[in-house]
Amino acid sequence: MDIIEAIDNRKTIRKFDSYRPTTEEIKRIINSARLAPSAINAQNWKFIAVVDDNVKKQLAESVLSAYDKILSALDKETMEQISKYKSHSVFFQQAPLVIVCVLEDIPAFMGGVLEKAGFTADEIKLMRPDSYLLSMGGAIENMFLSAYSMGIEGCWMVAPVLGQEGMRKVLKLGENQKIVSLLALGKVDKNMEVKRANKKELSEIMEII
């Protein structure tokens, strides 16, 4: 499949049929993440492919538990708004494949240099975005495009990260490892009409100077 075709046609999918990606397909998808560029070539990432329904359930329970804790501390109006996100944050457990994207915490070289040079934390944040997180974003997009070329689609999720504490225990992650995203993947349910979310026109986001 042509890469431009994949970029132009990939859509977010939240309902899946019963097809389960094969081990070889999973390896192909995650290998595409491995080949993505990373800041100073640190490659400080790990990708956990979850196909076990019981593990998915435990991950979802961790997310729901985190929501319950948050909701208990809110006023009624805010609680009603946040409650809408609760079920939306755990639909990944119905996906045939969930890829948990884990970032390993290592010191940022340039951030340390700027700190030594006397810049404040706010100044450093403005001068230098999180390069490791940006690298992870590139790896994730690689995975989605690779998956799409095999007829596998999905949803890039960050809302479940609220359940970080519980999910880390389920996956037995180390203290220096944090979950930054979950990818829900599978083949689209043919009974679902899929439309791409509205995108801004090119003229609204592009400037040539």
Side-chain angles (χ1 to χ4, degrees), residues 50-128:
V50 181
V51 295
D52 187 301
D53 290 337
N54 184 51
V55 176
K56 294 176 201 170
K57 181 182 178 182
Q58 291 179 61
L59 294 175
E61 287 172 348
S62 296
V63 177
L64 293 176
S65 177
Y67 265 98
D68 288 341
K69 185 176 181 180
I70 293 166
L71 288 168
S72 67
L74 299 175
D75 60 79
K76 185 177 180 181
E77 183 179 352
T78 309
M79 190 183 298
E80 290 174 354
Q81 294 174 330
I82 299 300
S83 292
K84 298 174 185 177
Y85 291 92
K86 187 176 178 180
S87 60
H88 177 72
S89 298
V90 293
F91 75 83
F92 65 81
Q93 66 182 314
Q94 272 78 53
L97 168 64
V98 176
I99 296 179
V100 182
C101 303
V102 178
L103 197 61
E104 297 184 351
D105 188 26
I106 61 174
F109 171 73
M110 197 61 197
V113 169
L114 293 173
E115 187 176 340
K116 287 180 180 178
F119 291 96
T120 66
D122 287 341
E123 288 172 328
I124 294 173
K125 185 176 180 180
L126 183 64
M127 295 166 68
R128 189 178 178 279

Side-chain angles (χ1 to χ4, degrees), residues 84-204:
K84 298 174 185 177
Y85 291 92
K86 187 176 178 180
S87 60
H88 177 72
S89 298
V90 293
F91 75 83
F92 65 81
Q93 66 182 314
Q94 272 78 53
L97 168 64
V98 176
I99 296 179
V100 182
C101 303
V102 178
L103 197 61
E104 297 184 351
D105 188 26
I106 61 174
F109 171 73
M110 197 61 197
V113 169
L114 293 173
E115 187 176 340
K116 287 180 180 178
F119 291 96
T120 66
D122 287 341
E123 288 172 328
I124 294 173
K125 185 176 180 180
L126 183 64
M127 295 166 68
R128 189 178 178 279
D130 189 334
S131 56
Y132 296 136
L133 197 57
L134 288 171
S135 300
M136 179 65 86
I140 289 172
E141 185 65 6
N142 269 16
M143 286 192 281
F144 271 112
L145 294 174
S146 181
Y148 184 80
S149 74
M150 295 183 284
I152 297 169
E153 303 179 66
C155 183
W156 180 345
M157 305 179 70
V158 294
V161 178
L162 283 172
Q164 175 91 222
E165 184 178 356
M167 290 195 294
R168 289 176 71 252
K169 291 178 182 177
V170 171
L171 298 173
K172 297 179 172 62
L173 297 181
E175 290 184 3
N176 70 326
Q177 296 176 311
K178 64 179 180 181
I179 298 167
V180 295
S181 189
L182 267 64
L183 313 185
L185 294 162
K187 292 195 174 183
V188 63
D189 182 343
K190 295 297 189 294
N191 296 318
M192 185 182 80
E193 183 181 1
V194 181
K195 293 183 179 180
R196 192 170 208 172
N198 292 330
K199 303 294 181 181
K200 292 182 178 180
E201 295 297 326
L202 183 60
S203 60
E204 296 180 78

